[in-house]
mmCIF file of all heavy atoms in Angstrom:
data_model
loop_
_atom_site.group_PDB
_atom_site.id
_atom_site.type_symbol
_atom_site.label_atom_id
_atom_site.label_comp_id
_atom_site.label_asym_id
_atom_site.label_seq_id
_atom_site.Cartn_x
_atom_site.Cartn_y
_atom_site.Cartn_z
ATOM 1 N N GLU R 251 -26.977 -5.305 -5.989
ATOM 2 C CA GLU R 251 -25.978 -5.359 -7.050
ATOM 3 C C GLU R 251 -25.971 -4.034 -7.855
ATOM 4 O O GLU R 251 -27.043 -3.523 -8.147
ATOM 5 C CB GLU R 251 -26.292 -6.497 -8.039
ATOM 6 C CG GLU R 251 -26.172 -7.825 -7.411
ATOM 7 C CD GLU R 251 -24.742 -8.206 -7.035
ATOM 8 O OE1 GLU R 251 -23.840 -7.833 -7.943
ATOM 9 O OE2 GLU R 251 -24.336 -8.823 -6.065
ATOM 10 N N PRO R 252 -24.748 -3.559 -8.210
ATOM 11 C CA PRO R 252 -24.726 -2.344 -9.020
ATOM 12 C C PRO R 252 -25.204 -2.617 -10.433
ATOM 13 O O PRO R 252 -25.158 -3.619 -10.957
ATOM 14 C CB PRO R 252 -23.222 -1.933 -8.960
ATOM 15 C CG PRO R 252 -22.575 -3.029 -8.432
ATOM 16 C CD PRO R 252 -23.427 -3.927 -7.815
ATOM 17 N N ILE R 253 -25.807 -1.649 -11.043
ATOM 18 C CA ILE R 253 -26.327 -1.779 -12.337
ATOM 19 C C ILE R 253 -25.475 -0.972 -13.307
ATOM 20 O O ILE R 253 -24.862 0.012 -12.880
ATOM 21 C CB ILE R 253 -27.698 -1.448 -12.561
ATOM 22 C CG1 ILE R 253 -27.957 0.083 -12.110
ATOM 23 C CG2 ILE R 253 -28.566 -2.363 -11.705
ATOM 24 C CD1 ILE R 253 -29.332 0.589 -12.475
ATOM 25 N N THR R 254 -25.444 -1.357 -14.595
ATOM 26 C CA THR R 254 -24.792 -0.585 -15.604
ATOM 27 C C THR R 254 -25.716 -0.238 -16.647
ATOM 28 O O THR R 254 -26.355 -0.997 -17.129
ATOM 29 C CB THR R 254 -23.569 -1.397 -16.125
ATOM 30 O OG1 THR R 254 -22.749 -1.813 -15.152
ATOM 31 C CG2 THR R 254 -22.847 -0.630 -17.241
ATOM 32 N N LEU R 255 -25.857 1.066 -16.965
ATOM 33 C CA LEU R 255 -26.697 1.619 -18.059
ATOM 34 C C LEU R 255 -25.907 1.828 -19.306
ATOM 35 O O LEU R 255 -24.692 2.010 -19.258
ATOM 36 C CB LEU R 255 -27.316 2.801 -17.562
ATOM 37 C CG LEU R 255 -28.139 2.802 -16.190
ATOM 38 C CD1 LEU R 255 -28.452 4.286 -15.788
ATOM 39 C CD2 LEU R 255 -29.240 1.901 -16.272
ATOM 40 N N LYS R 256 -26.583 1.709 -20.351
ATOM 41 C CA LYS R 256 -25.782 1.974 -21.636
ATOM 42 C C LYS R 256 -26.494 3.207 -22.257
ATOM 43 O O LYS R 256 -27.687 3.255 -22.446
ATOM 44 C CB LYS R 256 -25.771 0.795 -22.580
ATOM 45 C CG LYS R 256 -24.985 -0.320 -22.017
ATOM 46 C CD LYS R 256 -24.613 -1.311 -22.955
ATOM 47 C CE LYS R 256 -23.827 -2.384 -22.376
ATOM 48 N NZ LYS R 256 -22.766 -2.997 -23.225
ATOM 49 N N ALA R 257 -25.736 4.157 -22.870
ATOM 50 C CA ALA R 257 -26.181 5.226 -23.649
ATOM 51 C C ALA R 257 -25.197 5.555 -24.806
ATOM 52 O O ALA R 257 -24.051 5.710 -24.462
ATOM 53 C CB ALA R 257 -26.338 6.508 -22.722
ATOM 54 N N ASN R 258 -25.652 5.503 -25.977
ATOM 55 C CA ASN R 258 -24.852 5.706 -27.180
ATOM 56 C C ASN R 258 -23.568 4.738 -27.090
ATOM 57 O O ASN R 258 -22.442 5.234 -27.350
ATOM 58 C CB ASN R 258 -24.328 7.173 -27.328
ATOM 59 C CG ASN R 258 -25.534 8.045 -27.537
ATOM 60 O OD1 ASN R 258 -26.642 7.633 -27.897
ATOM 61 N ND2 ASN R 258 -25.474 9.269 -27.021
ATOM 62 N N SER R 259 -23.716 3.478 -26.760
ATOM 63 C CA SER R 259 -22.695 2.487 -26.677
ATOM 64 C C SER R 259 -21.676 2.765 -25.461
ATOM 65 O O SER R 259 -20.652 2.117 -25.464
ATOM 66 C CB SER R 259 -22.028 2.450 -27.927
ATOM 67 O OG SER R 259 -22.841 2.057 -29.081
ATOM 68 N N ALA R 260 -21.865 3.731 -24.634
ATOM 69 C CA ALA R 260 -20.999 4.028 -23.518
ATOM 70 C C ALA R 260 -21.703 3.467 -22.340
ATOM 71 O O ALA R 260 -22.888 3.542 -22.134
ATOM 72 C CB ALA R 260 -20.751 5.462 -23.385
ATOM 73 N N GLU R 261 -20.955 2.847 -21.432
ATOM 74 C CA GLU R 261 -21.474 2.350 -20.190
ATOM 75 C C GLU R 261 -21.435 3.369 -19.061
ATOM 76 O O GLU R 261 -20.483 4.222 -19.076
ATOM 77 C CB GLU R 261 -20.599 1.091 -19.674
ATOM 78 C CG GLU R 261 -20.780 -0.087 -20.562
ATOM 79 C CD GLU R 261 -20.118 -1.326 -20.053
ATOM 80 O OE1 GLU R 261 -19.561 -1.225 -18.917
ATOM 81 O OE2 GLU R 261 -20.237 -2.327 -20.604
ATOM 82 N N ILE R 262 -22.519 3.501 -18.341
ATOM 83 C CA ILE R 262 -22.608 4.458 -17.256
ATOM 84 C C ILE R 262 -22.786 3.634 -15.923
ATOM 85 O O ILE R 262 -23.742 2.868 -15.978
ATOM 86 C CB ILE R 262 -23.735 5.406 -17.497
ATOM 87 C CG1 ILE R 262 -23.621 6.132 -18.827
ATOM 88 C CG2 ILE R 262 -23.865 6.383 -16.291
ATOM 89 C CD1 ILE R 262 -24.963 6.800 -19.263
ATOM 90 N N GLU R 263 -22.006 3.837 -15.013
ATOM 91 C CA GLU R 263 -22.165 3.061 -13.783
ATOM 92 C C GLU R 263 -23.230 3.602 -13.023
ATOM 93 O O GLU R 263 -23.515 4.823 -13.022
ATOM 94 C CB GLU R 263 -20.696 3.091 -13.066
ATOM 95 C CG GLU R 263 -19.749 2.347 -13.712
ATOM 96 C CD GLU R 263 -18.948 3.092 -14.823
ATOM 97 O OE1 GLU R 263 -19.090 4.310 -14.855
ATOM 98 O OE2 GLU R 263 -18.306 2.458 -15.624
ATOM 99 N N ALA R 264 -23.794 2.725 -12.187
ATOM 100 C CA ALA R 264 -24.832 3.226 -11.143
ATOM 101 C C ALA R 264 -24.157 4.121 -10.132
ATOM 102 O O ALA R 264 -22.998 4.120 -10.003
ATOM 103 C CB ALA R 264 -25.369 2.003 -10.443
ATOM 104 N N PRO R 265 -24.949 4.892 -9.381
ATOM 105 C CA PRO R 265 -24.366 5.834 -8.460
ATOM 106 C C PRO R 265 -23.367 5.316 -7.518
ATOM 107 O O PRO R 265 -22.398 5.892 -7.230
ATOM 108 C CB PRO R 265 -25.595 6.390 -7.750
ATOM 109 C CG PRO R 265 -26.731 6.195 -8.826
ATOM 110 C CD PRO R 265 -26.456 4.898 -9.581
ATOM 111 N N SER R 266 -23.566 4.074 -7.059
ATOM 112 C CA SER R 266 -22.684 3.543 -6.053
ATOM 113 C C SER R 266 -21.183 3.245 -6.681
ATOM 114 O O SER R 266 -20.210 3.535 -5.997
ATOM 115 C CB SER R 266 -23.171 2.158 -5.482
ATOM 116 O OG SER R 266 -23.257 1.256 -6.424
ATOM 117 N N GLU R 267 -21.211 2.899 -7.920
ATOM 118 C CA GLU R 267 -19.970 2.686 -8.661
ATOM 119 C C GLU R 267 -19.278 4.077 -9.007
ATOM 120 O O GLU R 267 -18.149 4.179 -8.871
ATOM 121 C CB GLU R 267 -20.200 1.860 -9.874
ATOM 122 C CG GLU R 267 -18.873 1.705 -10.774
ATOM 123 C CD GLU R 267 -17.791 1.025 -10.130
ATOM 124 O OE1 GLU R 267 -18.111 0.144 -9.140
ATOM 125 O OE2 GLU R 267 -16.680 1.027 -10.548
ATOM 126 N N LEU R 268 -20.149 5.003 -9.315
ATOM 127 C CA LEU R 268 -19.713 6.396 -9.677
ATOM 128 C C LEU R 268 -18.970 6.938 -8.434
ATOM 129 O O LEU R 268 -17.858 7.464 -8.444
ATOM 130 C CB LEU R 268 -20.707 7.248 -10.096
ATOM 131 C CG LEU R 268 -20.375 8.646 -10.350
ATOM 132 C CD1 LEU R 268 -19.419 8.829 -11.420
ATOM 133 C CD2 LEU R 268 -21.687 9.460 -10.755
ATOM 134 N N GLN R 269 -19.664 6.724 -7.217
ATOM 135 C CA GLN R 269 -19.012 7.256 -5.897
ATOM 136 C C GLN R 269 -17.671 6.596 -5.663
ATOM 137 O O GLN R 269 -16.735 7.169 -5.208
ATOM 138 C CB GLN R 269 -19.958 7.113 -4.854
ATOM 139 C CG GLN R 269 -21.095 8.106 -4.818
ATOM 140 C CD GLN R 269 -21.938 8.017 -3.576
ATOM 141 O OE1 GLN R 269 -22.155 6.983 -2.993
ATOM 142 N NE2 GLN R 269 -22.336 9.219 -3.108
ATOM 143 N N GLU R 270 -17.672 5.295 -5.931
ATOM 144 C CA GLU R 270 -16.434 4.527 -5.699
ATOM 145 C C GLU R 270 -15.348 5.018 -6.566
ATOM 146 O O GLU R 270 -14.167 5.172 -6.151
ATOM 147 C CB GLU R 270 -16.643 3.008 -5.892
ATOM 148 C CG GLU R 270 -15.490 2.103 -5.689
ATOM 149 C CD GLU R 270 -14.910 2.246 -4.335
ATOM 150 O OE1 GLU R 270 -15.658 2.568 -3.376
ATOM 151 O OE2 GLU R 270 -13.765 1.831 -4.098
ATOM 152 N N GLN R 271 -15.628 5.335 -7.869
ATOM 153 C CA GLN R 271 -14.544 5.861 -8.727
ATOM 154 C C GLN R 271 -14.201 7.067 -8.269
ATOM 155 O O GLN R 271 -12.956 7.497 -8.271
ATOM 156 C CB GLN R 271 -15.126 5.989 -10.167
ATOM 157 C CG GLN R 271 -15.358 4.655 -10.896
ATOM 158 C CD GLN R 271 -15.939 4.971 -12.286
ATOM 159 O OE1 GLN R 271 -16.400 5.980 -12.557
ATOM 160 N NE2 GLN R 271 -15.685 3.948 -13.224
ATOM 161 N N ILE R 272 -14.995 8.037 -7.873
ATOM 162 C CA ILE R 272 -14.651 9.302 -7.285
ATOM 163 C C ILE R 272 -13.757 9.099 -5.992
ATOM 164 O O ILE R 272 -12.731 9.821 -5.809
ATOM 165 C CB ILE R 272 -15.860 10.187 -7.078
ATOM 166 C CG1 ILE R 272 -16.594 10.547 -8.373
ATOM 167 C CG2 ILE R 272 -15.499 11.493 -6.262
ATOM 168 C CD1 ILE R 272 -17.881 11.150 -8.239
ATOM 169 N N ARG R 273 -14.147 8.296 -5.238
ATOM 170 C CA ARG R 273 -13.497 8.020 -3.982
ATOM 171 C C ARG R 273 -11.983 7.651 -4.265
ATOM 172 O O ARG R 273 -10.987 8.076 -3.769
ATOM 173 C CB ARG R 273 -14.078 6.989 -3.097
ATOM 174 C CG ARG R 273 -13.541 6.801 -1.677
ATOM 175 C CD ARG R 273 -13.781 5.391 -0.974
ATOM 176 N NE ARG R 273 -13.514 4.250 -1.832
ATOM 177 C CZ ARG R 273 -12.271 3.778 -1.903
ATOM 178 N NH1 ARG R 273 -11.231 4.386 -1.243
ATOM 179 N NH2 ARG R 273 -11.946 2.698 -2.551
ATOM 180 N N ARG R 274 -11.809 6.645 -5.246
ATOM 181 C CA ARG R 274 -10.530 6.171 -5.574
ATOM 182 C C ARG R 274 -9.741 7.291 -6.165
ATOM 183 O O ARG R 274 -8.457 7.413 -5.830
ATOM 184 C CB ARG R 274 -10.513 5.038 -6.527
ATOM 185 C CG ARG R 274 -10.955 3.737 -5.918
ATOM 186 C CD ARG R 274 -10.910 2.508 -6.953
ATOM 187 N NE ARG R 274 -11.565 2.654 -8.088
ATOM 188 C CZ ARG R 274 -12.650 2.098 -8.511
ATOM 189 N NH1 ARG R 274 -13.127 1.146 -7.657
ATOM 190 N NH2 ARG R 274 -13.324 2.315 -9.677
ATOM 191 N N ARG R 275 -10.318 8.184 -7.103
ATOM 192 C CA ARG R 275 -9.452 9.259 -7.615
ATOM 193 C C ARG R 275 -9.157 10.303 -6.584
ATOM 194 O O ARG R 275 -8.011 10.730 -6.654
ATOM 195 C CB ARG R 275 -10.319 9.816 -8.802
ATOM 196 C CG ARG R 275 -9.681 11.099 -9.445
ATOM 197 C CD ARG R 275 -8.298 10.612 -10.141
ATOM 198 N NE ARG R 275 -7.696 11.761 -10.634
ATOM 199 C CZ ARG R 275 -6.322 11.947 -10.533
ATOM 200 N NH1 ARG R 275 -5.558 11.075 -10.001
ATOM 201 N NH2 ARG R 275 -5.838 13.169 -11.075
ATOM 202 N N ALA R 276 -10.078 10.582 -5.695
ATOM 203 C CA ALA R 276 -9.736 11.486 -4.672
ATOM 204 C C ALA R 276 -8.590 11.076 -3.735
ATOM 205 O O ALA R 276 -7.670 11.851 -3.401
ATOM 206 C CB ALA R 276 -11.008 11.829 -3.756
ATOM 207 N N TYR R 277 -8.586 9.714 -3.492
ATOM 208 C CA TYR R 277 -7.398 9.219 -2.757
ATOM 209 C C TYR R 277 -6.124 9.334 -3.491
ATOM 210 O O TYR R 277 -5.062 9.608 -2.973
ATOM 211 C CB TYR R 277 -7.645 7.800 -2.398
ATOM 212 C CG TYR R 277 -6.684 7.265 -1.382
ATOM 213 C CD1 TYR R 277 -6.741 7.740 -0.058
ATOM 214 C CD2 TYR R 277 -5.688 6.413 -1.782
ATOM 215 C CE1 TYR R 277 -5.717 7.158 0.873
ATOM 216 C CE2 TYR R 277 -4.704 5.917 -0.842
ATOM 217 C CZ TYR R 277 -4.705 6.335 0.484
ATOM 218 O OH TYR R 277 -3.812 5.938 1.233
ATOM 219 N N GLU R 278 -6.108 9.141 -4.797
ATOM 220 C CA GLU R 278 -4.899 9.269 -5.643
ATOM 221 C C GLU R 278 -4.453 10.638 -5.640
ATOM 222 O O GLU R 278 -3.294 10.900 -5.420
ATOM 223 C CB GLU R 278 -5.289 8.999 -7.151
ATOM 224 C CG GLU R 278 -5.506 7.427 -7.430
ATOM 225 C CD GLU R 278 -6.027 7.083 -8.816
ATOM 226 O OE1 GLU R 278 -6.096 8.153 -9.697
ATOM 227 O OE2 GLU R 278 -6.210 5.947 -9.182
ATOM 228 N N LEU R 279 -5.314 11.652 -5.623
ATOM 229 C CA LEU R 279 -4.941 13.054 -5.666
ATOM 230 C C LEU R 279 -4.376 13.323 -4.245
ATOM 231 O O LEU R 279 -3.293 14.015 -4.134
ATOM 232 C CB LEU R 279 -6.248 13.985 -5.794
ATOM 233 C CG LEU R 279 -6.800 13.830 -7.219
ATOM 234 C CD1 LEU R 279 -8.110 14.579 -7.131
ATOM 235 C CD2 LEU R 279 -5.757 14.477 -8.154
ATOM 236 N N PHE R 280 -4.946 12.726 -3.158
ATOM 237 C CA PHE R 280 -4.328 12.907 -1.764
ATOM 238 C C PHE R 280 -2.972 12.370 -1.785
ATOM 239 O O PHE R 280 -2.117 13.036 -1.120
ATOM 240 C CB PHE R 280 -5.347 12.157 -0.823
ATOM 241 C CG PHE R 280 -4.705 12.029 0.547
ATOM 242 C CD1 PHE R 280 -4.726 12.898 1.479
ATOM 243 C CD2 PHE R 280 -4.308 10.633 0.885
ATOM 244 C CE1 PHE R 280 -4.214 12.697 2.802
ATOM 245 C CE2 PHE R 280 -3.819 10.475 2.136
ATOM 246 C CZ PHE R 280 -3.704 11.522 3.118
#
């Protein structure tokens, strides 16, 4: 399961979620 970290009230996704966000944005650019 992906984990979510919190820093200064901001959520930071675990690496797998971060990669998924990058993948989706890269496809949008494509």
